[in-house]
Amino acid sequence: DGGITQSPKYLFRKEGQNVTLSCEQNLNHDAMYWYRQDPGQGLRLIYYSQIVNDFQKGDIAEGYSVSREKKESFPLTVTSAQKNPTAFYLCASSMGTRAYEQYFGPGTRLTVT
Amino acid sequence: AQSVTQLGSHVSVSEGALVLLRCNYSSSVPPYLFWYVQYPNQGLQLLLKYTTGATLVKGINGFEAEFKKSETSFHLTKPSAHMSDAAEYFCAVRHGNQGGKLIFGQGTELSVKP
């Protein structure tokens, strides 16, 4: 079955540690996105990538980094510079910039203490 | 700049009653509009979308939405609520110039009472 996988589902880290969230898709989609979700705030875009080896900052990129070395993969690193990293992180993909809808993975809940 | 406003962070209906979730948008270009549903601790699932053409769009699970340009609205409706409809619903507008970026509303949590 085609889809988007995110792992792990739950992640716990100590403050000051970097952590990398995985996102893989087998939909052959060109574009991929990372969102952060906090209660009552909807979804906010962290980074997005339209093609391999290229990505752009979203609205809240500070404290995060990404890479896009393969079409299928778009990992997100939450660095120690992110002041409030505890959140639900969602990865999405779409066929391309002319495509309309985005398809979402199941999410990773990150808790930093 | 595009934006989305969902009126009401919580909506409660009885099973069998009409569901109406409100969404207003602002956009400087013809909008592409979406409704997504999210069950607890899960990702978002596309319910329906409006791109061009017919302004009344039908989606999955019996939901539909009507694009009203004059009112800048895209309200989501379902004639008869089921218990399984209890979830959070997000309205989104596609940004015209930034790589397919979606701008989301704050979300509306729908509760369904037996």
Side-chain angles (χ1 to χ4, degrees), chain B residues 10-22 56 61-66 75-83 85-86 89 108-113:
Chain B
H10 291 90
V11 170
S12 182
V13 301
S14 297
E15 194 173 17
L18 171 72
V19 176
L20 170 61
L21 304 182
R22 300 178 187 273
L56 181 63
N61 301 340
F63 284 93
E64 62 183 36
E66 186 170 12
H75 301 332
L76 182 71
T77 61
K78 182 175 180 177
S80 177
H82 295 166
M83 297 296 292
D85 294 326
Y89 293 80
T108 297
E109 185 176 353
L110 175 67
S111 301
V112 181
K113 299 175 290 187

Side-chain angles (χ1 to χ4, degrees), chain A residues 1-5 24-29 93 103-105:
Chain A
D1 285 337
I4 302 174
T5 57
E24 303 277 334
Q25 55 99 359
N26 60 4
L27 300 168
N28 200 32
H29 285 174
S93 70
Y103 296 88
F104 284 80

Side-chain angles (χ1 to χ4, degrees), chain A residues 20-35:
Chain A
T20 297
L21 282 59
S22 168
C23 177
E24 303 277 334
Q25 55 99 359
N26 60 4
L27 300 168
N28 200 32
H29 285 174
D30 288 317
M32 298 186 74
Y33 310 82
W34 272 106
Y35 293 91

Side-chain angles (χ1 to χ4, degrees), chain B residues 14-96:
Chain B
S14 297
E15 194 173 17
L18 171 72
V19 176
L20 170 61
L21 304 182
R22 300 178 187 273
C23 174
N24 288 89
Y25 70 91
S26 68
S27 177
S28 56
V29 297
Y32 298 148
L33 295 158
F34 307 85
W35 275 100
Y36 284 87
V37 61
Q38 184 182 33
Y39 298 99
N41 290 313
Q42 295 187 25
L44 275 66
Q45 180 183 10
L46 181 68
L47 275 177
L48 48 79
K49 66 183 179 186
Y50 169 78
T51 55
T52 58
T55 56
L56 181 63
V57 292
K58 296 186 185 298
I60 62 172
N61 301 340
F63 284 93
E64 62 183 36
E66 186 170 12
F67 169 60
K68 292 188 177 181
K69 184 178 179 180
S70 62
E71 298 177 10
T72 61
S73 69
F74 191 57
H75 301 332
L76 182 71
T77 61
K78 182 175 180 177
S80 177
H82 295 166
M83 297 296 292
S84 60
D85 294 326
E88 188 150 24
Y89 293 80
F90 291 94
C91 181
V93 62
R94 182 176 184 266
H95 195 291

Side-chain angles (χ1 to χ4, degrees), chain A residues 1 5 7 10 28 47 59-60 65 72 78-79 91 102 107 111:
Chain A
D1 285 337
T5 57
S7 61
Y10 298 95
N28 200 32
Y47 269 97
D59 300 317
I60 56 165
S65 66
E72 303 79 16
V78 184
T79 75
C91 178
Q102 293 179 14
T111 302

